[in-house]
């Protein structure tokens, strides 16, 4: 399913809320520290916190140490993978059942103002490839 502009937020939060086992994600750019209560990014963080409280294994690979600290302050495990010029990927796997990947950053602008497109995928082979890639990088 193609997620254009604001469709992403609805689908992203829905997939977080339905997750029972794991959520793995790549975040290139974020606005966690500047998000107002009730903003899209605040809603993402609150949904991830609820997932953690349900016992979901949530892990995020980021671009900067500042991002790691922001996610960790929210209780979300995060890390950087070194050895690359930049980590530009944006994608999340939910329980190895769904994958959302595309241009949406973890920002209020991406959720509300920008021209963005992402795909929600349920193809087992693509999700397995994403999860294997994520886990290989997480173990580095």
């Amino acid at each position: 399913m193609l997620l254009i502009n604001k469709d992403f937020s609805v689908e992203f939060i829905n997939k977080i809320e339905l997750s029972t086992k794991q959520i793995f994600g790549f975040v290139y750019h974020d606005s966690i520290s500047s998000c107002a209560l009730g903003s899209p990014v605040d809603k993402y963080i609150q949904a991830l916190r609820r997932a953690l409280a349900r016992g979901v294994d949530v892990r995020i690979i980021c671009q900067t140490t500042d991002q790691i600290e922001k996610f960790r302050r929210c209780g979300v495990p995060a890390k950087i993978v070194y050895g690359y010029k930049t980590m530009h990927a944006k994608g999340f796997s939910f329980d190895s059942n769904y994958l959302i990947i595309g241009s949406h950053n973890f920002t209020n602008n991406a959720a509300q103002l920008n021209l963005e497109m992402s795909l929600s995928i349920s193809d087992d082979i693509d999700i397995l490839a994403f999860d294997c890639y994520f886990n290989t990088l997480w173990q580095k």
Side-chain angles (χ1 to χ4, degrees):
M1 170 174 43
L2 182 62
L3 305 172
I4 299 174
N5 299 334
K6 295 179 183 180
D7 297 340
F8 173 85
S9 292
V10 173
E11 184 71 5
F12 186 65
I13 291 172
N14 181 51
K15 295 301 186 224
I16 294 171
E17 298 294 355
L18 293 173
S19 295
T20 60
K21 295 179 230 137
Q22 57 87 8
I23 299 171
F24 300 151
F26 290 94
V27 173
Y28 170 66
H29 182 69
D30 72 82
S31 61
I32 292 173
S33 62
S34 62
C35 69
L37 290 177
S39 70
V41 172
D42 179 57
K43 290 177 182 177
Y44 302 162
I45 293 297
Q46 296 309 317
L48 288 171
R49 283 181 169 161
R50 287 190 297 275
L52 286 164
R54 290 192 309 273
V56 176
D57 176 18
V58 179
R59 292 185 257 159
I60 297 178
I61 294 176
C62 302
Q63 179 188 3
T64 67
T65 55
D66 185 46
Q67 289 172 315
I68 288 172
E69 291 308 314
K70 290 184 216 176
F71 277 109
R72 287 182 180 166
R73 279 195 300 268
C74 296
V76 178
K79 70 185 297 187
I80 292 176
V81 176
Y82 294 99
Y84 300 91
K85 181 178 177 185
T86 189
M87 195 295 300
H88 195 250
K90 300 137 200 147
F92 279 81
S93 170
F94 306 90
D95 287 345
S96 298
N97 293 322
Y98 297 98
L99 172 63
I100 296 178
I101 193 162
S103 71
H104 285 87
N105 283 312
F106 211 82
T107 65
N108 292 320
N109 282 347
Q112 297 175 312
L113 303 173
N114 296 351
L115 174 59
E116 304 281 358
M117 287 183 278
S118 294
L119 286 172
S120 180
I121 301 166
S122 58
D123 180 78
D124 292 342
I125 294 170
D126 290 334
I127 297 166
L128 178 62
F130 180 95
D131 288 353
C132 287
Y133 183 60
F134 181 92
N135 284 314
T136 297
L137 293 175
W138 188 265
Q139 298 305 318
K140 281 188 167 190

